Amino acid sequence: MTGVNDPGLAVALITAMLVVAGAALTLVGALGLLRLKTFYERVHAPTMGSTLGSGCVLLASIVLFSALESRPVLHEIAIGVFVTLTTPVTFMLLMRAAMQRDRIGGGDGRGETPNGDDG
């Protein structure tokens, strides 16, 4: 890009809607982290919020920069693949660690230790 380009009203509206949707999904995930009670409930909301929220923001980036540069800009897909693959794996590892801790006897079945802290 050599100068300031106008992406057009339609592209700007689509981009804005995708960014707002991504921010809203991430906010819902963060609120779920605060409002839910047990570890098993709390770990699910941010995982879904971050995956879907970042997906919407990445789509917005693809749409905007493809319109500005008049060619498909697809390198954001690599970021999306990375986030889509690593977030669920991290979720599964956290869940397995909490279940193992509960099985050994260090937890109360809710993913928390008997003294109330998660550490």
Side-chain angles (χ1 to χ4, degrees):
M1 283 178 24
T2 57
V4 177
N5 296 333
D6 183 19
L9 181 62
V11 171
L13 286 175
I14 291 170
T15 301
M17 288 189 321
L18 284 169
V19 168
V20 168
L25 287 167
T26 304
L27 177 66
V28 167
L31 291 175
L33 177 67
L34 294 174
R35 298 207 29 110
L36 297 173
K37 301 288 185 239
T38 67
F39 172 79
Y40 296 113
E41 293 171 342
R42 283 192 309 247
V43 75
H44 185 70
T47 302
M48 296 302 293
S50 68
T51 302
L52 296 174
S54 63
C56 286
V57 171
L58 288 170
L59 280 175
S61 176
I62 290 172
V63 168
L64 180 65
F65 288 110
S66 293
L68 287 176
E69 296 185 13
S70 300
R71 64 179 177 85
V73 177
L74 302 175
H75 61 273
E76 284 94 347
I77 291 176
I79 298 169
V81 167
F82 180 72
V83 168
T84 302
L85 291 177
T86 57
T87 303
V89 169
T90 305
F91 169 73
M92 290 299 295
L93 290 173
L94 285 170
M95 292 297 287
R96 285 184 181 183
M99 289 171 48
Q100 181 68 23
R101 183 174 63 183
D102 286 345
R103 263 186 259 145
I104 290 174
D108 61 359
R110 298 182 313 150
E112 297 175 2
T113 56
N115 62 2
D117 68 4
D118 287 335

Coordinates of all heavy atoms in Angstrom, one line a residue, residues 52-103:
L52 N -14.0 -18.4 18.5 CA -14.9 -17.8 17.6 C -14.6 -16.3 17.5 O -14.8 -15.7 16.4 CB -16.3 -18.0 18.2 CG -16.8 -19.4 18.2 CD1 -18.2 -19.5 18.9 CD2 -16.9 -20.0 16.8
G53 N -14.2 -15.6 18.5 CA -14.0 -14.2 18.5 C -12.8 -13.9 17.6 O -12.8 -13.0 16.7
S54 N -11.7 -14.6 17.7 CA -10.5 -14.4 16.9 C -10.8 -14.8 15.4 O -10.3 -14.2 14.5 CB -9.3 -15.2 17.4 OG -9.5 -16.6 17.3
G55 N -11.7 -15.8 15.2 CA -12.1 -16.1 13.9 C -12.8 -15.0 13.2 O -12.6 -14.7 12.0
C56 N -13.7 -14.3 13.9 CA -14.4 -13.2 13.3 C -13.5 -12.0 13.0 O -13.6 -11.4 11.9 CB -15.5 -12.7 14.2 SG -17.0 -13.8 14.2
V57 N -12.5 -11.7 13.9 CA -11.6 -10.7 13.7 C -10.7 -11.0 12.5 O -10.3 -10.1 11.7 CB -10.8 -10.4 15.0 CG1 -9.6 -9.4 14.7 CG2 -11.7 -9.8 16.0
L58 N -10.2 -12.2 12.4 CA -9.4 -12.7 11.3 C -10.2 -12.6 9.9 O -9.6 -12.1 8.9 CB -8.9 -14.1 11.5 CG -7.8 -14.2 12.5 CD1 -7.5 -15.7 12.8 CD2 -6.5 -13.5 12.1
L59 N -11.4 -12.9 9.9 CA -12.2 -12.7 8.7 C -12.4 -11.3 8.3 O -12.3 -10.9 7.1 CB -13.6 -13.3 8.9 CG -13.8 -14.8 8.7 CD1 -15.2 -15.3 9.1 CD2 -13.4 -15.2 7.3
A60 N -12.5 -10.4 9.3 CA -12.6 -9.0 9.1 C -11.3 -8.5 8.5 O -11.3 -7.7 7.5 CB -12.9 -8.2 10.4
S61 N -10.2 -9.0 9.0 CA -8.9 -8.6 8.4 C -8.7 -9.1 7.0 O -8.2 -8.3 6.1 CB -7.8 -9.2 9.3 OG -6.5 -8.9 8.8
I62 N -9.1 -10.3 6.7 CA -9.0 -10.8 5.3 C -9.9 -9.9 4.4 O -9.4 -9.5 3.3 CB -9.5 -12.3 5.3 CG1 -8.5 -13.1 6.0 CG2 -9.7 -12.7 3.8 CD1 -8.9 -14.6 6.1
V63 N -11.1 -9.6 4.8 CA -12.0 -8.8 3.9 C -11.4 -7.4 3.7 O -11.3 -6.9 2.5 CB -13.4 -8.7 4.6 CG1 -14.2 -7.7 3.9 CG2 -14.1 -10.1 4.6
L64 N -11.0 -6.8 4.7 CA -10.5 -5.4 4.6 C -9.2 -5.3 3.8 O -9.1 -4.5 2.8 CB -10.2 -4.8 6.0 CG -9.7 -3.3 5.9 CD1 -10.7 -2.4 5.3 CD2 -9.3 -2.9 7.3
F65 N -8.2 -6.1 4.1 CA -7.0 -6.0 3.4 C -7.0 -6.6 2.0 O -6.3 -6.1 1.1 CB -5.8 -6.6 4.2 CG -5.5 -5.8 5.4 CD1 -5.7 -6.2 6.7 CD2 -4.9 -4.6 5.2 CE1 -5.4 -5.4 7.7 CE2 -4.6 -3.8 6.3 CZ -4.8 -4.2 7.6
S66 N -7.9 -7.5 1.7 CA -8.1 -8.0 0.3 C -8.7 -6.8 -0.5 O -8.4 -6.6 -1.7 CB -9.0 -9.2 0.3 OG -8.4 -10.3 0.9
A67 N -9.7 -6.1 0.1 CA -10.3 -4.9 -0.6 C -9.3 -3.8 -0.8 O -9.2 -3.2 -1.9 CB -11.5 -4.4 0.1
L68 N -8.4 -3.5 0.2 CA -7.5 -2.4 0.1 C -6.4 -2.7 -0.9 O -5.9 -1.8 -1.6 CB -6.9 -2.1 1.4 CG -7.8 -1.4 2.5 CD1 -7.0 -1.3 3.8 CD2 -8.2 -0.1 1.9
E69 N -5.9 -4.0 -1.0 CA -4.8 -4.3 -1.9 C -5.3 -4.9 -3.2 O -4.4 -5.2 -4.0 CB -3.9 -5.3 -1.2 CG -3.2 -4.7 0.1 CD -2.2 -5.6 0.7 OE1 -1.8 -6.6 0.1 OE2 -1.8 -5.2 1.8
S70 N -6.6 -5.0 -3.4 CA -7.1 -5.5 -4.7 C -6.6 -6.9 -5.1 O -6.5 -7.1 -6.3 CB -6.9 -4.5 -5.8 OG -7.5 -3.2 -5.5
R71 N -6.3 -7.7 -4.1 CA -5.9 -9.1 -4.3 C -6.2 -9.8 -3.1 O -6.4 -9.3 -2.0 CB -4.4 -9.2 -4.7 CG -3.5 -8.7 -3.5 CD -2.0 -8.9 -3.9 NE -1.2 -8.4 -2.8 CZ -0.8 -9.1 -1.7 NH1 -1.2 -10.4 -1.6 NH2 -0.1 -8.6 -0.8
P72 N -6.4 -11.1 -3.2 CA -6.7 -11.9 -2.0 C -5.5 -11.9 -1.0 O -4.4 -12.1 -1.4 CB -6.9 -13.3 -2.5 CG -7.1 -13.2 -4.0 CD -6.5 -11.9 -4.4
V73 N -5.8 -11.6 0.2 CA -4.8 -11.6 1.3 C -5.2 -12.7 2.2 O -6.2 -12.6 3.0 CB -4.8 -10.2 2.0 CG1 -3.8 -10.3 3.2 CG2 -4.4 -9.1 1.1
L74 N -4.5 -13.8 2.2 CA -4.9 -15.0 2.9 C -3.9 -15.5 3.9 O -4.1 -16.5 4.5 CB -5.1 -16.1 1.8 CG -6.1 -15.8 0.7 CD1 -6.2 -17.0 -0.3 CD2 -7.5 -15.6 1.3
H75 N -2.9 -14.7 4.2 CA -1.9 -15.1 5.3 C -2.6 -15.2 6.6 O -2.0 -15.9 7.5 CB -0.7 -14.3 5.2 CG -0.9 -12.9 5.5 ND1 -1.2 -12.0 4.6 CD2 -0.8 -12.2 6.7 CE1 -1.3 -10.8 5.1 NE2 -1.1 -10.9 6.4
E76 N -3.7 -14.5 6.9 CA -4.4 -14.6 8.1 C -5.0 -16.0 8.4 O -5.2 -16.4 9.5 CB -5.5 -13.6 8.2 CG -5.1 -12.2 8.5 CD -4.9 -11.4 7.2 OE1 -4.9 -12.0 6.1 OE2 -4.8 -10.2 7.3
I77 N -5.1 -16.8 7.3 CA -5.6 -18.1 7.4 C -4.7 -19.0 8.3 O -5.1 -19.8 9.1 CB -5.9 -18.8 6.1 CG1 -7.1 -18.1 5.4 CG2 -6.2 -20.3 6.2 CD1 -7.4 -18.5 4.0
A78 N -3.4 -18.7 8.1 CA -2.4 -19.5 8.9 C -2.6 -19.2 10.4 O -2.5 -20.1 11.3 CB -1.0 -19.1 8.5
I79 N -2.9 -17.9 10.8 CA -3.2 -17.6 12.2 C -4.4 -18.3 12.6 O -4.5 -18.8 13.7 CB -3.3 -16.1 12.3 CG1 -2.0 -15.4 11.9 CG2 -3.7 -15.7 13.7 CD1 -2.2 -13.9 11.8
G80 N -5.5 -18.3 11.8 CA -6.7 -19.0 12.1 C -6.6 -20.5 12.4 O -7.1 -21.0 13.3
V81 N -5.8 -21.1 11.5 CA -5.5 -22.5 11.7 C -4.8 -22.8 13.0 O -5.1 -23.7 13.7 CB -4.7 -23.1 10.5 CG1 -4.2 -24.5 10.7 CG2 -5.6 -23.1 9.2
F82 N -3.8 -21.9 13.3 CA -3.0 -22.1 14.5 C -3.9 -22.0 15.7 O -3.9 -22.8 16.7 CB -1.9 -21.1 14.6 CG -1.1 -21.2 15.8 CD1 -0.2 -22.2 16.0 CD2 -1.2 -20.2 16.8 CE1 0.6 -22.3 17.2 CE2 -0.4 -20.3 17.9 CZ 0.4 -21.3 18.1
V83 N -4.8 -20.9 15.8 CA -5.7 -20.7 16.9 C -6.7 -21.8 17.0 O -7.0 -22.3 18.1 CB -6.4 -19.3 16.8 CG1 -7.5 -19.2 17.8 CG2 -5.4 -18.2 17.0
T84 N -7.2 -22.3 15.9 CA -8.3 -23.3 15.9 C -7.7 -24.6 16.3 O -8.4 -25.4 17.0 CB -8.9 -23.5 14.4 OG1 -9.4 -22.2 14.1 CG2 -9.9 -24.5 14.4
L85 N -6.4 -24.9 16.1 CA -5.8 -26.2 16.5 C -5.3 -26.1 17.9 O -5.4 -27.1 18.6 CB -4.7 -26.5 15.5 CG -5.1 -26.9 14.1 CD1 -3.8 -27.2 13.3 CD2 -6.0 -28.1 14.1
T86 N -4.8 -25.0 18.4 CA -4.2 -25.0 19.7 C -5.1 -24.7 20.8 O -4.9 -25.3 21.9 CB -3.0 -23.9 19.7 OG1 -3.6 -22.6 19.4 CG2 -1.9 -24.3 18.8
T87 N -6.2 -24.0 20.6 CA -7.1 -23.7 21.7 C -7.8 -24.9 22.2 O -7.8 -25.1 23.4 CB -8.1 -22.6 21.3 OG1 -7.4 -21.4 20.9 CG2 -9.0 -22.2 22.4
P88 N -8.4 -25.7 21.3 CA -9.0 -27.0 21.9 C -8.1 -27.9 22.5 O -8.4 -28.6 23.5 CB -9.7 -27.6 20.6 CG -9.9 -26.5 19.7 CD -8.7 -25.6 19.9
V89 N -6.8 -28.0 22.0 CA -5.8 -28.9 22.6 C -5.5 -28.4 24.0 O -5.4 -29.2 24.9 CB -4.6 -28.9 21.7 CG1 -3.4 -29.6 22.4 CG2 -4.9 -29.6 20.4
T90 N -5.3 -27.1 24.2 CA -5.1 -26.5 25.5 C -6.3 -26.8 26.4 O -6.1 -27.2 27.6 CB -4.8 -25.0 25.4 OG1 -3.8 -24.8 24.5 CG2 -4.5 -24.4 26.7
F91 N -7.5 -26.7 25.9 CA -8.7 -27.0 26.7 C -8.7 -28.4 27.2 O -8.9 -28.7 28.4 CB -9.9 -26.7 25.8 CG -11.2 -27.2 26.4 CD1 -11.8 -26.6 27.5 CD2 -11.8 -28.3 25.8 CE1 -13.0 -27.0 28.0 CE2 -13.0 -28.7 26.3 CZ -13.6 -28.1 27.4
M92 N -8.3 -29.4 26.3 CA -8.3 -30.8 26.6 C -7.2 -31.1 27.7 O -7.4 -31.9 28.6 CB -8.1 -31.6 25.4 CG -9.3 -31.6 24.5 SD -10.8 -32.3 25.3 CE -10.3 -34.0 25.5
L93 N -6.1 -30.5 27.5 CA -5.0 -30.7 28.5 C -5.3 -30.2 29.9 O -5.1 -30.8 30.9 CB -3.7 -30.1 28.0 CG -3.0 -30.7 26.8 CD1 -1.9 -29.9 26.3 CD2 -2.6 -32.1 27.1
L94 N -6.0 -29.0 29.9 CA -6.4 -28.5 31.2 C -7.5 -29.4 31.9 O -7.4 -29.6 33.1 CB -7.0 -27.1 31.0 CG -6.0 -26.0 30.8 CD1 -6.7 -24.7 30.4 CD2 -5.2 -25.7 32.1
M95 N -8.4 -29.9 31.1 CA -9.4 -30.7 31.6 C -8.9 -32.1 32.1 O -9.2 -32.5 33.2 CB -10.5 -31.0 30.5 CG -11.3 -29.8 30.2 SD -12.3 -29.2 31.5 CE -13.5 -30.4 31.7
R96 N -7.9 -32.6 31.3 CA -7.3 -33.9 31.8 C -6.5 -33.7 33.0 O -6.5 -34.6 33.9 CB -6.4 -34.5 30.7 CG -7.2 -35.1 29.5 CD -6.3 -35.7 28.5 NE -7.1 -36.2 27.5 CZ -6.6 -36.9 26.4 NH1 -5.3 -37.1 26.4 NH2 -7.4 -37.4 25.5
A97 N -5.8 -32.6 33.2 CA -5.0 -32.3 34.4 C -6.0 -32.2 35.6 O -5.7 -32.7 36.7 CB -4.2 -31.1 34.2
A98 N -7.1 -31.5 35.4 CA -8.0 -31.3 36.5 C -8.7 -32.7 36.9 O -8.9 -33.0 38.1 CB -9.1 -30.3 36.1
M99 N -9.0 -33.5 35.9 CA -9.6 -34.8 36.2 C -8.6 -35.7 36.9 O -9.0 -36.4 37.8 CB -10.1 -35.4 34.9 CG -11.4 -34.7 34.3 SD -11.9 -35.3 32.7 CE -11.9 -37.0 32.8
Q100 N -7.4 -35.6 36.5 CA -6.3 -36.5 37.1 C -6.2 -36.0 38.6 O -6.1 -36.9 39.5 CB -5.0 -36.3 36.3 CG -3.9 -37.1 36.9 CD -4.1 -38.6 36.8 OE1 -4.9 -39.1 35.9 NE2 -3.5 -39.4 37.6
R101 N -6.2 -34.7 38.8 CA -6.1 -34.2 40.2 C -7.2 -34.7 41.0 O -7.1 -35.0 42.2 CB -5.9 -32.7 40.1 CG -5.7 -32.1 41.5 CD -5.5 -30.6 41.5 NE -6.7 -30.0 40.9 CZ -6.7 -28.6 40.7 NH1 -5.7 -27.9 41.0 NH2 -7.8 -28.1 40.3
D102 N -8.4 -34.7 40.4 CA -9.6 -35.1 41.2 C -9.6 -36.6 41.5 O -9.9 -37.0 42.5 CB -10.9 -34.8 40.4 CG -11.2 -33.3 40.4 OD1 -10.6 -32.6 41.3 OD2 -12.1 -32.9 39.6
R103 N -9.1 -37.4 40.5 CA -9.0 -38.8 40.7 C -8.0 -39.2 41.8 O -8.2 -40.1 42.6 CB -8.6 -39.5 39.4 CG -9.8 -40.1 38.7 CD -9.4 -40.9 37.5 NE -9.5 -40.0 36.4 CZ -8.8 -39.9 35.3 NH1 -7.8 -40.7 35.2 NH2 -9.0 -39.1 34.3

